[in-house]
Amino acid sequence: MAEVRISEIALELGYSSKEIIEKANEMGLKKIKAQNSAVSMEEAEAIYNYVQTGELPQKLKTKSKIHSKPKKEIEILDDEEPIKKSKKEKADKPKAQKTVKPKKESVSKKTQEQKEEDLNSVKEPEEIKNEEVKKETKETTSKKDIKTEIKEELKPQDKDEIKTTKSKNSETPKKEISKEKESESRIKKVESLASLSLKKRRGLVIVKKKDEPKEEEKTEVKAKKEPTQRLNIGLDEIFSNTSSNLKKKKSPKKQPLNTRKESATKIEILDDRDIKDVEIDDESEVVLPDLTLSAINVENQQKEIKQQKVYRSAQNKFTNQETRSISRGVRKKHKKPVKKDEEISVSSIDIPKEIRVYEFADKLGKQPSEIISKLFMLGLMVTKNDFLDEDALEILADEFNVTINIIDEALKFDYTKDYDETKDDEKDLVLRAPVVTIMGHVDHGKTSLLDYIRNSRVATGEAGGITQHVGAYMVEKNGRKITFIDTPGHEAFTAMRERGAEVTDVVIIIVAADDGVKPQTKEAIAHAKAANVPIIIAINKMDKPTANPDLVKSGLSELGILPIDWGGEYEFVPISAKTGTGIDELLEIVLLQADILELKANPKRMAKATVIESSLKKGLGTVATIIVQNGTLNIGDNVVAGVSYGRVRAIMDDKGNHIKKLSPGECGVIIGLSEVPESGETLIGVEDEKTAKDYASKKHDYLRQKELSKSTKVSLEELGAKIAEGELKTLPVIVKADVGGSLEAIKASLEKLRNDEIKVDIIHSGVGGITQNDIGLASASENCIILGFNVRPTGDVKERAKERGVEIKTYNVIYTLLDDVKAILGGLMSPIISEEEIGQAEIRQVINVPKIGQIAGCMVTDGNITRGADIRVIRDGVVKFEGKVSSLRRFKDDVKEVSKGFECGVGIEGYNDMQVGDYIESFVKREEQATI
Ligand SMILES: Nc1nc2c(ncn2[C@@H]2O[C@H](COP(=O)(O)OP(=O)(O)OP(=O)(O)O)[C@@H](O)[C@H]2O)c(=O)[nH]1
């Protein structure tokens, strides 16, 4: 037999020979004394193992147990014992398995003795196993220690460990026991430790199990079956649906079941055991993966079965649905290509000028999101409800490669254009009355001139009746009619004058001879020139001794209005609205001008007129003053004027007489419109009411959409501006006026009343009296006031306004109205804060007073220093601090004020950085009401 020297073993292990000798002695190999001592191969291996693992060779351990343990232990080593035990185990197993966890606890509570008994009676194989497997078992450990260690191991494992042993290497314990018997006998025969060790190690080789006695194997198989069943239960719980199938399948296939059993047991051990034990147990580690793997396989198989079932059942269950959804999808898919075809075929689209993103997308056959994202990529942020401007449309046309034709929706209801497209026959044209507008600066005599012309007309008794303000009237001169637009001479009426200029054939600009050219004179000339309307200059107030017509002529010449007698082309007529001097001459010149203009119209066709004023009158409804420019308007004609339409129920002339028709150039009042049309609106006669209504509703829709577009079309810059505007204080107002012209003028003036801080917000305006609705609207808006011009609230409305706390302000002079609004706006504006310096003091000494801080010894150099006053500390001309005087003393007395030339002690609130040479300036802030 080959022998190995101790020195060789030491060299191999990297230990000193002495250490190896000691270890060998510990192992009981007392014969080894020197490094030259030789041992057998088996002994060498045992030493090697012992040194490496600290594992006491089996033989020695058994020996020690034999010595220390009671007889029972020896009995276990009897030949029959393993079988008994295996039977006992069989009987115990179900219990042990079922009560794994409780037992764990109970075991832990067991007394040392009980545990020892357990160990001796039931867990003897376990002990052996543990000895084989556990690395931590040290040879140096005393018998007690070994026991304790075993107990500790058993605590968590308890009978599971037995299970483990059986399930994992089911034969192993018995094998070990049988080996134990062998080894025991070998101990008696004093066999080598090395051979014992080798056998022991071989015991771990699973393959060897097959070589074990059949009887034991059978027992093991039986033992295995139980956990199998248990496993089935566990799996059943998990895969409840498939339990029966599994059971059926498992019964004929024992081998997989075994594997599964092993794995199941292993899993259980893992659950119950300390991880440290698992980690230490190399063998377990080696075995576990295989078992786990097989378990996974089994589980996977089961899952597969389950999944297959689920899948099938899902398929079965939802087959129809799926088919349906697919078919729907298919249908959709069928549709989409159709859409795509449409998209592709869209090479040109007609869109209105005002178009929203979703409408555009619809026209293009795309999704709004597509349009939005396209524009977003190009830096335009829109929502689907936003209107697309021309830039965006241009971009989209490029992006989608489509021609976009913008159709002006306004054309759909542009009845004026339709009317003008029908050309009049030359032979039908006749001369018509010129329409004259008088413009001029305030107080230059417009009203006086108009009054004179009208009064002279009444005075001459050409027509009877009471003269009333209808916004326009006619006079006859030399058998020819002249229509005058009665525009009040106030700046606020600019807007109306602009419209007047459009309908006007001739403009008379009135300039007071004693005043000359004024701002509004210039403005009036600008309007007349813009409208390309001939201008006649009336130099008024010639009766005044201060009259200086040359002043007027020179003033107008500077504006390019040169009189004929100065070589120019403009007629300058000196008149006196007071005396009437020159007025006939003025009218004659107007007629002359009309002749030059060859004002002709076709009285045979439907009328085309301009609305001068309109209002609601009780008992009459909408009353509109119009001037007919072409055609003839008869009672019963269907007319449209913007959003207003209707059938002419009655016509009155400027004197209030009912007449049957209005000829070209004539003015009159008509009744029958659906609603109040705007001043300056064109009115035409149409063939029937439907046509009239159609035009009106189209325009209504258009305007509404335009209004909405204004509110939604917000670019980023505008958004910023709007946000900034949110900072603006606003004065919400409701404006009601007797006539449209006044209303327009007031609105225009109010809109001008704004600055960076404040503005007027006209939340509602209308022609007519103040109504309950207006009160309701005003009370719904905070601080809203109602402005009435030439209207008065009636009893009920007044009552309601009082109840709701709504302020109604009524006026008959626009100036007053505007002045009042200005005052209110001024009140809303931030006050103007101004500062007034009241004194200065020079710091000459700085004293630090504990708990109080700095006190400056000062000399007041100017004005006064007052306690509580605002001050600023100035160092080298630079403001270092602003605050308040906290204390002011003269000598030891607190004082309120110290005047120039006196010394004082000054404390400043929250400031302790005063220096000699600093100045303290005292000032007061004054608030002033701002005005707009
Ligand atoms: N002496 C004299 N006074 C005149 C003449 N025409 C007008 N006035 C006076 O001038 C003042 C203003 O006249 P209006 O006719 O009200 O002037 P207006 O341009 O209509 O003024 P507004 O309506 O405020 O724009 C009145 O006091 C008239 O009496 C005139 O020819 N001679």
Side-chain angles (χ1 to χ4, degrees):
M1 188 190 264
E3 288 191 332
V4 181
R5 290 183 189 279
I6 289 297
S7 58
E8 286 171 348
I9 298 170
L11 193 68
E12 178 80 10
L13 289 165
Y15 283 76
S16 66
S17 299
K18 197 183 167 193
E19 285 171 318
I20 299 299
I21 294 163
E22 280 171 12
K23 293 278 178 189
N25 289 340
E26 283 170 18
M27 290 169 67
L29 299 171
K30 303 286 181 190
K31 63 174 181 177
I32 300 161
K33 301 282 182 197
Q35 62 176 8
N36 291 330
S37 302
V39 291
S40 67
M41 281 302 286
E42 284 86 356
E43 285 169 336
E45 191 174 347
I47 293 166
Y48 185 91
N49 282 337
Y50 180 63
V51 172
Q52 284 287 54
T53 63
E55 200 174 296
L56 198 65
Q58 187 63 41
K59 190 180 169 185
L60 288 177
K61 273 200 268 182
T62 317
K63 268 183 182 176
S64 56
K65 277 175 197 168
I66 293 165
H67 291 301
S68 60
K69 285 184 180 174
K71 285 177 184 177
K72 273 186 181 178
E73 204 171 339
I74 301 164
E75 282 170 17
I76 293 167
L77 300 173
D78 289 350
D79 287 347
E80 287 178 21
E81 189 57 26
I83 300 158
K84 277 182 189 175
K85 200 168 83 56
S86 68
K87 279 177 185 173
K88 198 181 174 184
E89 274 178 12
K90 267 199 279 176
D92 287 345
K93 257 175 195 172
K95 278 185 188 174
Q97 286 161 351
K98 280 174 190 173
T99 56
V100 171
K101 283 175 187 175
K103 266 205 171 181
K104 208 167 99 183
E105 283 171 21
S106 64
V107 168
S108 67
K109 286 172 190 171
K110 279 180 182 177
T111 61
Q112 189 81 4
E113 275 182 1
Q114 279 171 324
K115 284 177 189 175
E116 279 177 16
E117 276 176 25
D118 288 346
L119 285 169
N120 293 337
S121 60
V122 182
K123 291 160 190 158
E124 191 58 34
E126 196 58 37
E127 241 178 29
I128 300 160
K129 187 253 168 191
N130 283 324
E131 283 169 9
E132 293 169 356
V133 175
K134 302 294 169 187
K135 286 180 183 176
E136 71 262 34
T137 310
K138 310 283 180 191
E139 200 195 313
T140 49
T141 316
S142 66
K143 288 169 191 172
K144 258 189 178 180
D145 287 341
I146 296 165
K147 279 182 187 175
T148 317
E149 199 175 312
I150 293 163
K151 271 181 249 159
E152 279 170 3
E153 284 167 8
L154 283 170
K155 267 185 196 175
Q157 287 169 277
D158 199 41
K159 289 182 179 178
D160 286 343
E161 193 64 26
I162 298 164
K163 254 194 304 180
T164 312
T165 321
K166 288 181 178 174
S167 58
K168 189 170 70 180
N169 298 314
S170 34
E171 311 95 319
T172 309
K174 286 157 192 112
K175 199 167 70 184
E176 293 302 324
I177 293 161
S178 62
K179 274 178 208 162
E180 200 64 39
K181 285 189 284 174
E182 283 175 32
S183 61
E184 199 58 40
S185 61
R186 277 171 198 160
I187 292 165
K188 287 171 189 169
K189 290 173 192 172
V190 196
E191 271 192 18
S192 76
L193 284 166
S195 63
L196 180 70
S197 172
L198 281 170
K199 282 191 177 182
K200 178 192 76 183
R201 286 172 71 82
R202 276 201 301 274
L204 290 171
V205 181
I206 299 167
V207 180
K208 279 204 165 186
K209 291 172 198 170
K210 291 170 186 173
D211 300 328
E212 295 297 320
K214 283 176 185 177
E215 202 182 31
E216 281 182 8
E217 256 190 46
K218 279 175 189 173
T219 318
E220 284 160 22
V221 170
K222 279 178 190 174
K224 284 172 195 171
K225 277 185 180 176
E226 286 165 4
T228 308
Q229 281 166 2
R230 195 187 165 278
L231 174 72
N232 284 343
I233 294 160
L235 289 169
D236 287 351
E237 285 164 7
I238 303 162
F239 307 110
S240 54
N241 293 339
T242 57
S243 61
S244 57
N245 293 337
L246 281 173
K247 276 174 188 170
K248 281 173 194 171
K249 284 179 184 175
K250 278 169 206 163
S251 53
K253 292 177 184 176
K254 282 186 180 176
Q255 195 53 45
L257 279 176
N258 287 344
T259 321
R260 204 155 26 83
K261 176 201 77 183
E262 286 168 7
S263 65
T265 317
K266 194 73 186 177
I267 290 162
E268 221 169 80
I269 290 160
L270 283 170
D271 286 340
D272 294 338
R273 284 176 67 189
D274 286 343
I275 288 169
K276 106 184 151 181
D277 297 332
V278 178
E279 281 173 350
I280 293 162
D281 193 337
D282 283 342
E283 298 297 332
S284 299
E285 276 186 329
V286 172
V287 179
L288 254 175
D290 280 337
L291 296 167
T292 314
L293 185 67
S294 60
I296 291 166
N297 287 339
V298 173
E299 282 173 19
N300 285 345
Q301 281 170 15
Q302 289 165 346
K303 275 182 186 173
E304 268 172 37
I305 295 162
K306 194 189 167 192
Q307 281 169 357
Q308 276 172 9
K309 286 189 173 183
V310 171
Y311 178 67
R312 276 188 221 110
S313 69
Q315 271 189 329
N316 292 335
K317 211 172 177 180
F318 302 113
T319 300
N320 293 339
Q321 280 190 0
E322 279 174 6
T323 315
R324 256 185 268 130
S325 69
I326 289 163
S327 67
R328 252 187 255 129
V330 167
R331 260 186 244 133
K332 276 180 188 171
K333 276 175 188 171
H334 276 305
K335 277 187 177 178
K336 276 181 184 171
V338 173
K339 276 194 174 179
K340 274 178 187 171
D341 288 342
E342 280 172 10
E343 283 166 22
I344 293 159
S345 68
V346 172
S347 59
S348 168
I349 52 166
D350 292 347
I351 59 158
K353 202 176 174 188
E354 305 288 334
I355 189 165
R356 289 171 192 272
V357 170
Y358 73 87
E359 291 166 338
F360 181 79
D362 199 41
K363 291 247 179 200
L364 213 58
K366 305 263 180 202
Q367 290 298 312
S369 54
E370 225 177 310
I371 310 292
I372 292 165
S373 59
K374 266 275 182 323
L375 290 173
F376 182 79
M377 301 296 278
L378 297 160
L380 283 171
M381 282 172 74
V382 291
T383 67
K384 68 172 191 175
N385 290 319
D386 282 346
F387 284 83
L388 292 165
D389 60 17
E390 278 180 27
D391 288 348
L393 288 171
E394 210 170 289
I395 291 167
L396 291 169
D398 266 6
E399 286 294 319
F400 292 105
N401 197 24
V402 68
T403 310
I404 296 173
N405 306 314
I406 298 172
I407 307 296
D408 192 356
E409 289 285 304
L411 292 174
K412 286 185 187 171
F413 51 86
D414 194 353
Y415 48 80
T416 311
K417 191 168 172 274
D418 294 348
Y419 184 95
D420 291 341
E421 272 172 5
T422 311
K423 294 293 169 198
D424 294 305
D425 202 333
E426 273 295 321
K427 64 176 183 354
D428 294 331
L429 295 175
V430 294
L431 278 175
R432 66 160 174 86
V435 178
V436 180
T437 295
I438 300 172
M439 297 188 202
H441 194 69
V442 179
D443 282 351
H444 278 204
K446 295 181 295 290
T447 312
S448 299
L449 176 60
L450 281 164
D451 282 351
Y452 185 86
I453 295 165
R454 188 165 48 212
N455 290 337
S456 65
R457 181 187 63 171
V458 175
T460 53
E462 284 171 357
I466 305 152
T467 304
Q468 54 180 315
H469 174 86
V470 290
Y473 59 85
M474 290 180 290
V475 291
E476 258 193 37
K477 181 70 184 169
N478 304 334
R480 291 169 69 183
K481 284 179 179 171
I482 302 169
T483 300
F484 281 91
I485 294 174
D486 186 6
T487 52
H490 190 277
E491 181 194 24
F493 280 64
T494 305
M496 184 59 213
R497 283 213 303 266
E498 279 172 355
R499 289 199 193 98
E502 280 168 21
V503 73
T504 302
D505 298 311
V506 178
V507 165
I508 295 174
I509 289 178
I510 192 164
V511 189
D514 60 341
D515 204 19
V517 174
K518 291 290 167 193
Q520 285 168 21
T521 317
K522 292 178 186 172
E523 201 177 298
I525 288 166
H527 285 154
K529 278 188 172 176
N532 203 21
V533 179
I535 297 167
I536 297 167
I537 306 294
I539 306 173
N540 194 27
K541 302 189 186 181
M542 284 300 289
D543 59 297
K544 279 193 165 184
T546 52
N548 183 1
D550 286 345
L551 178 73
V552 177
K553 284 180 182 174
S554 61
L556 286 172
S557 296
E558 285 173 20
L559 299 172
I561 309 290
L562 211 63
I564 290 173
D565 52 339
W566 283 20
E569 54 187 49
Y570 292 91
E571 290 282 359
F572 280 60
V573 187
I575 61 158
S576 170
K578 195 177 180 181
T579 62
T581 314
I583 291 177
D584 277 349
E585 197 189 345
L586 181 68
L587 294 177
E588 275 173 14
I589 289 173
V590 167
L591 287 173
L592 195 66
Q593 190 65 54
D595 289 340
I596 296 165
L597 292 169
E598 285 189 33
L599 301 167
K600 286 182 177 174
N602 177 9
K604 291 182 179 172
R605 65 181 296 189
M606 290 285 215
K608 176 189 172 189
T610 301
V611 177
I612 304 300
E613 274 187 16
S614 64
S615 59
L616 275 170
K617 286 211 171 122
K618 215 170 183 180
L620 292 175
T622 304
V623 174
T625 300
I626 59 164
I627 294 174
V628 177
Q629 290 168 288
N630 196 15
T632 302
L633 185 74
N634 296 292
I635 292 177
D637 280 356
N638 286 297
V639 291
V640 55
V643 293
S644 178
Y645 68 97
R647 195 157 172 262
V648 178
R649 286 195 282 125
I651 303 174
M652 287 165 284
D653 65 14
D654 54 352
K655 298 170 196 87
N657 302 318
H658 281 268
I659 52 174
K660 287 187 176 174
K661 63 170 187 173
L662 281 173
S663 299
E666 291 181 355
C667 68
V669 176
I670 62 162
I671 296 163
L673 289 173
S674 60
E675 58 186 274
V676 177
E678 276 191 33
S679 300
E681 193 67 79
T682 301
L683 175 144
I684 61 159
V686 291
E687 53 270 31
D688 51 39
E689 195 173 347
K690 188 184 170 293
T691 312
K693 192 176 177 179
D694 222 39
Y695 275 129
S697 62
K698 276 178 186 164
K699 178 149 192 180
H700 180 268
D701 293 347
Y702 170 77
L703 291 175
R704 193 170 166 272
Q705 205 175 31
K706 211 173 176 183
E707 194 62 34
L708 284 171
S709 121
K710 269 187 204 165
S711 60
T712 56
K713 240 192 264 177
V714 182
S715 72
L716 282 179
E717 301 89 71
E718 283 168 341
L719 199 67
K722 286 223 166 199
I723 291 164
E725 205 151 299
E727 302 293 315
L728 278 180
K729 289 178 199 163
T730 56
L731 172 68
V733 296
I734 292 171
V735 188
K736 296 304 285 280
D738 58 338
V739 292
S742 304
L743 184 70
E744 294 293 325
I746 293 166
K747 279 168 70 180
S749 299
L750 287 176
E751 271 159 17
K752 282 181 192 164
L753 291 180
R754 61 177 294 159
N755 59 22
D756 291 344
E757 193 186 352
I758 198 154
K759 67 170 185 176
V760 176
D761 183 14
I762 303 167
I763 60 169
H764 175 62
S765 63
V767 173
I770 296 159
T771 63
Q772 300 271 11
N773 279 342
D774 297 332
I775 306 294
L777 187 59
S779 63
S781 316
E782 210 181 342
N783 302 322
C784 179
I785 56 168
I786 298 175
L787 304 171
F789 185 74
N790 282 340
V791 292
R792 300 282 303 170
T794 58
D796 280 357
V797 173
K798 214 172 182 178
E799 278 298 305
R800 194 163 182 216
K802 264 188 187 174
E803 274 172 29
R804 300 279 184 102
V806 174
E807 192 175 356
I808 300 174
K809 286 179 164 281
T810 55
Y811 307 87
N812 49 18
V813 177
I814 293 181
Y815 270 138
T816 326
L817 184 151
L818 296 177
D819 284 347
D820 270 11
V821 173
K822 277 182 193 172
I824 298 165
L825 291 176
L828 289 175
M829 283 164 68
S830 307
I832 298 164
I833 297 166
S834 58
E835 275 181 19
E836 191 191 336
E837 188 195 320
I838 54 170
Q840 269 193 3
E842 188 189 349
I843 299 176
R844 296 193 169 170
Q845 193 183 1
V846 178
I847 309 148
N848 283 308
V849 181
K851 293 182 184 174
I852 292 173
Q854 279 189 338
I855 297 292
C858 302
M859 167 63 78
V860 179
T861 54
D862 191 21
N864 304 308
I865 299 293
T866 316
R867 184 144 49 100
D870 290 314
I871 56 100
R872 53 174 68 99
V873 177
I874 302 162
R875 185 174 302 156
D876 302 325
V878 179
V879 176
K880 300 300 273 185
F881 181 75
E882 272 195 24
K884 280 188 183 297
V885 174
S886 58
S887 66
L888 185 64
R889 285 189 169 195
R890 252 189 77 67
F891 302 110
K892 287 187 175 176
D893 302 327
D894 278 325
V895 289
K896 280 187 179 174
E897 194 178 83
V898 179
S899 301
K900 184 182 174 184
F902 292 97
E903 288 182 335
C904 58
V906 179
I908 297 172
E909 227 171 67
Y911 188 63
N912 285 312
D913 189 30
M914 290 185 276
Q915 287 179 17
V916 173
D918 288 351
Y919 273 85
I920 295 172
E921 186 180 85
S922 177
F923 61 94
V924 286
K925 284 178 184 169
R926 297 194 198 284
E927 284 190 4
E928 266 178 73
Q929 188 57 59
T931 51
I932 194 163

